[in-house]
Amino acid sequence: MKTIWAWGLWILGGLVALAGLAALGLYLLVAQIDVRKEVERAVEGATGRQLTLNGDVGVSYWPVLGLHAEGAALENVEGGRAQDFLTAVDIHVGVEIWPLLRREVVVRELVLQQPKIFLEVDAEGKPNWMLAAPAAPTPQPAPAPGGATRPPAVEVARATLRKLSIVDGEVNFHDARRAAGWVVGDVDISSDLSDLDRPMRVAGDVLFNDKPVAVELDIARLGAAVRGEQTSLKLHLSSDLLEARFEGQTLAASGELAGAITASGPSLRQLAAWANTPFQGGVGFEQFEVSGRLEIGGGRYDFTNADFALDRISGSGDFVLSQHNGKPYLSGLLRLAEFDLNPYLIGQAPPPAEAKEGAPAGAELAVVAAPPRALDVVAAPTAGAIDFSGLRAFNADLDLRTQTVLVQRLRIDSARLNLVINDGFLAATLHEMRLYGGSGSGRFELDSRGPAPRIVQELAFSNLEARRFLTDAVNFSNIEGRAEVSLTLRTQGRTQTEMIAAADGRAHIEVITGALHGVDLGGVSRTIRNALRGELIAPEARTPFLGFSATFAVADGVLASDDLSFNTADLRIPGIGVIDLPQRRADLRLAPRSSRGGIVFPFSIRGPWGQSTYAGDFNGRVQGEVLARVRQVETAARAPVN
């Protein structure tokens, strides 16, 4: 046992003595040569950049055994935005022990204390981190006067760097092409490096916009990257807002990247704000996932063959995410699964996405509370301001292919459309819609840039299931059949009430082979007296018809028509009418006649909704009053838009 302890002490003592001799040898070596000039010469020869050491140069015992220099600065490229490419408060150069005895400094580790690195891309796309080829060996100086000779130069550049560490550093990036950049602070990273053309691994932590980020980077050939050549790399970023993995290549001198990516996080809204491109208002844009091929360059993120999920929306596509007017800008082709558009239009936060096992496609949309309809013929209009701030959250130019979409109460089964969003202005061109058993197309605009949002729509639908469509669209469930509907409407207002009162344009509806619920107009052919007493008006009453059509002029929320037509197997019922949406009142004059000819029994239906009264109009007084109002509305509807 004593022998073992003795050997242990001898070994320990030998190691201590060896370390001491190395330290002493390094001290004596530094004392004999001009280390400052040798280090500056070696760095300039390796990088083509001038290195200036402004402070003391001497022996370092901690954190590594080697050389120590204060106040280092490596010059930037000519015309660079920053004066220096790199500055550091301290540089510690770790060296191997044995070569010191041969007056050789073999660098094994480099520690940069509090460095500042300035990365730039100029207006022509050329980066400042491309280094020049190593310079040819500097000729030895001539003997000094008097025959004295200068000590041999130390081969600092002969070193093999095994480890590079940055302590409490800062990295600045600026892209002159976009006049934009970023700053990363509290950089504490280390790398294992055996050769510039061999794999290098970097790991550590940085601070970006006051949030820590863990970084892992594998570069196939660092030398290729700094020379502007293509090389493979892997990158893993981890923070509380982002978990991302990238595997691909650099794209030559610009530092751009291309490869496969997977990324996810709890809030795209918070991530965008953290990256200095915040969503301006609105709701949603929270939990997200994306995977696919990504190319990064010039401030653009190009995704191809990408799958993504955001809030309750999922899909795939080829799209570009960039920045426009200080906010996110999305363009490209998206193929979307079922989703609810309402939360993003009216500022109602969407619930978390929770897939229900066994539920049919689109069923999960039903859990989202539907907002008030733009027009509801049953419920009173709301007086609260409608919030369209979600349209100012981001800009977009998209070609969309969708499955089930909810817009207010309307359910669109599938659609193909072009969508443009620009600072609160939305324009949607609907090339193809499938809904309620039929189809549709048209154009829809929503301009929320002013104090009172403005809506313009030109839509046409064919072969719709009338009852389901009208129930969801305007809460009117009394007509069933196959419907043709066309709308050319415009309105403006801050509330539903204001928008209804400002509606102008034209509308046409035609329904064939259906039924009118709530009234038995066929009874009119048997006895007008029963109709006038209201005995034919009941929830269970029903009037089968062959066709119903009407064309309405719309002005200030009032619909007027002089070509109402309602035909059953027994009756032909032409009519005129005015539907006053702001006052929630209808004034109709109908003149039913048997399909086989005979006496006309004109009568009127007038009054507030749900409180209408029926009366005969054999003298034509109501016809005159209603027709005058119809002409007034038609004239106003034809007036030019202010």
Side-chain angles (χ1 to χ4, degrees):
M1 181 64 71
K2 291 182 178 180
T3 303
I4 295 176
W5 277 105
W7 276 105
L9 291 174
W10 276 106
I11 294 173
L12 179 60
L15 292 175
V16 172
L18 181 62
L21 288 173
L24 178 60
L26 181 60
Y27 174 80
L28 295 175
L29 180 63
V30 171
Q32 294 180 39
I33 63 175
D34 188 352
V35 175
R36 181 193 309 273
K37 295 298 183 184
E38 297 297 340
V39 172
E40 291 176 347
R41 178 183 62 81
V43 172
E44 184 174 356
T47 66
R49 310 274 182 95
Q50 181 178 348
L51 175 69
T52 302
L53 301 177
N54 298 312
D56 296 333
V57 178
V59 178
S60 170
Y61 299 101
W62 182 263
V64 294
L65 177 63
L67 304 178
H68 165 257
E70 296 179 351
L74 182 65
E75 70 173 348
N76 200 359
V77 295
E78 184 177 354
R81 186 169 182 265
Q83 179 178 350
D84 298 304
F85 174 73
L86 179 148
T87 64
V89 174
D90 292 293
I91 296 180
H92 296 270
V93 183
V95 299
E96 290 189 356
I97 296 175
W98 290 112
L100 291 176
L101 302 178
R102 300 190 301 271
R103 300 178 60 81
E104 296 177 357
V105 179
V106 178
V107 178
R108 307 292 291 191
E109 183 175 359
L110 185 63
V111 180
L112 304 180
Q113 298 272 7
Q114 299 181 23
K116 289 187 177 181
I117 302 172
F118 299 89
L119 305 177
E120 303 176 13
V121 177
D122 64 19
E124 297 179 355
K126 185 177 180 180
N128 71 337
W129 55 83
M130 291 179 60
L131 302 178
T138 304
Q140 295 297 320
T149 60
R150 181 179 176 182
V154 179
E155 295 187 30
V156 177
R158 180 181 177 274
T160 300
L161 183 62
R162 297 295 185 186
K163 187 175 183 180
L164 171 65
S165 299
I166 294 178
V167 180
D168 195 18
E170 179 180 290
V171 179
N172 296 264
F173 174 77
H174 183 265
D175 189 340
R177 297 169 298 181
R178 300 185 298 118
W182 44 257
V183 178
V184 173
D186 286 2
V187 179
D188 292 299
I189 61 174
S190 63
S191 67
D192 297 324
L193 177 66
S194 59
D195 187 279
L196 287 179
D197 287 319
R198 292 184 180 180
M200 182 185 77
R201 180 174 178 79
V202 178
D205 299 283
V206 302
L207 192 70
F208 179 69
N209 283 349
D210 299 324
K211 288 188 178 294
V213 183
V215 179
E216 295 179 6
L217 175 65
D218 292 283
I219 304 177
R221 295 186 303 145
L222 178 61
V226 298
R227 291 192 299 267
E229 301 171 2
Q230 183 170 295
T231 187
S232 300
L233 59 85
K234 296 179 181 179
L235 176 64
H236 178 205
L237 301 177
S238 182
S239 73
D240 58 353
L241 291 180
L242 177 66
E243 187 73 24
R245 294 184 182 274
F246 175 87
E247 183 173 353
Q249 296 177 329
T250 63
L251 297 180
S254 63
E256 299 174 352
L257 306 176
I261 187 173
T262 60
S264 62
S267 173
L268 182 61
R269 178 179 294 275
Q270 294 182 39
L271 179 64
W274 182 49
N276 300 318
T277 55
F279 293 113
Q280 300 178 6
V283 297
F285 304 103
E286 297 299 337
Q287 185 173 344
F288 70 94
E289 295 181 12
V290 64
S291 63
R293 178 173 174 79
L294 171 65
E295 293 187 12
I296 305 175
R300 291 164 47 106
Y301 299 81
D302 290 69
F303 291 87
T304 55
N305 296 324
D307 294 314
F308 63 88
L310 174 64
D311 297 330
R312 299 179 62 86
I313 303 172
S314 63
S316 61
D318 305 311
F319 55 93
V320 177
L321 180 61
S322 57
Q323 187 175 357
H324 178 67
N325 291 338
K327 65 178 63 174
Y329 177 70
L330 184 64
S331 60
L333 168 65
L334 298 181
R335 293 174 290 273
L336 303 178
E338 55 272 358
F339 72 98
D340 186 351
L341 186 61
N342 293 315
Y344 305 96
L345 293 179
I346 66 170
Q348 172 187 329
E354 295 181 0
K356 296 182 179 180
E357 186 174 354
E364 66 276 10
L365 296 180
V367 303
V368 180
R373 298 171 177 83
L375 170 61
D376 192 324
V377 299
V378 175
T382 60
I386 302 176
D387 181 11
F388 291 111
S389 61
L391 295 179
R392 293 187 290 273
F394 68 103
N395 293 324
D397 185 356
L398 296 169
D399 187 6
L400 297 178
R401 306 287 191 274
T402 73
Q403 295 182 27
T404 304
V405 181
L406 287 183
V407 183
Q408 294 184 337
R409 301 294 179 111
L410 286 173
R411 180 181 292 266
I412 301 171
D413 298 322
S414 65
R416 182 173 67 87
L417 67 151
N418 295 109
L419 179 68
V420 174
I421 301 176
N422 184 17
D423 294 334
F425 174 79
L426 178 150
T429 302
L430 306 168
H431 299 291
E432 187 178 298
M433 282 194 299
R434 299 292 177 185
L435 69 169
Y436 299 97
S439 61
S441 62
R443 181 173 175 80
F444 176 86
E445 292 182 3
L446 171 56
D447 189 350
S448 65
R449 294 173 293 187
R454 182 173 180 268
I455 294 176
V456 176
Q457 52 187 325
E458 298 177 4
L459 302 172
F461 305 97
S462 62
N463 201 32
L464 301 178
E465 294 180 27
R467 192 172 197 182
R468 287 202 302 130
F469 173 74
L470 293 174
T471 298
D472 290 345
V474 297
N475 202 17
F476 183 73
S477 59
N478 287 23
I479 293 181
E480 65 174 277
R482 308 303 298 187
E484 309 282 327
V485 179
S486 62
L487 304 169
T488 301
L489 296 174
R490 57 190 177 273
T491 188
Q492 188 170 7
R494 294 166 296 179
T495 67
Q496 186 186 38
T497 300
E498 291 179 0
M499 285 192 173
I500 291 174
D504 292 284
R506 302 192 74 81
H508 176 79
I509 182 171
E510 184 172 351
V511 185
I512 60 174
T513 315
L516 177 66
H517 293 265
V519 61
D520 180 11
L521 292 180
V524 176
S525 64
R526 295 187 296 271
T527 169
I528 187 66
R529 184 179 59 187
N530 291 339
L532 299 183
R533 285 205 304 259
E535 294 179 5
L536 304 178
I537 312 300
E540 65 276 7
R542 184 173 182 271
T543 305
F545 61 80
L546 300 177
F548 164 75
S549 66
T551 299
F552 294 94
V554 185
D556 298 326
V558 179
L559 285 71
S561 176
D562 61 0
D563 67 350
L564 294 174
S565 176
F566 191 93
N567 299 319
T568 72
D570 300 321
L571 292 176
R572 300 291 182 264
I573 308 178
I576 58 175
V578 173
I579 301 174
D580 191 326
L581 299 179
Q583 299 299 320
R584 301 174 59 76
R585 176 186 174 90
D587 291 277
L588 305 175
R589 199 262 190 182
L590 304 177
R593 179 194 297 268
S594 171
S595 58
R596 294 181 294 275
I599 301 175
V600 176
F601 294 99
F603 68 98
S604 65
I605 306 173
R606 310 186 73 179
W609 295 348
Q611 303 176 28
S612 300
T613 59
Y614 294 75
D617 188 39
F618 294 97
N619 59 10
R621 182 182 62 82
V622 174
Q623 180 181 20
E625 294 176 359
V626 174
L627 188 58
R629 186 78 189 282
V630 168
R631 299 292 181 244
Q632 181 184 12
V633 173
E634 288 178 337
T635 300
R638 288 195 295 267
V641 180
N642 294 328

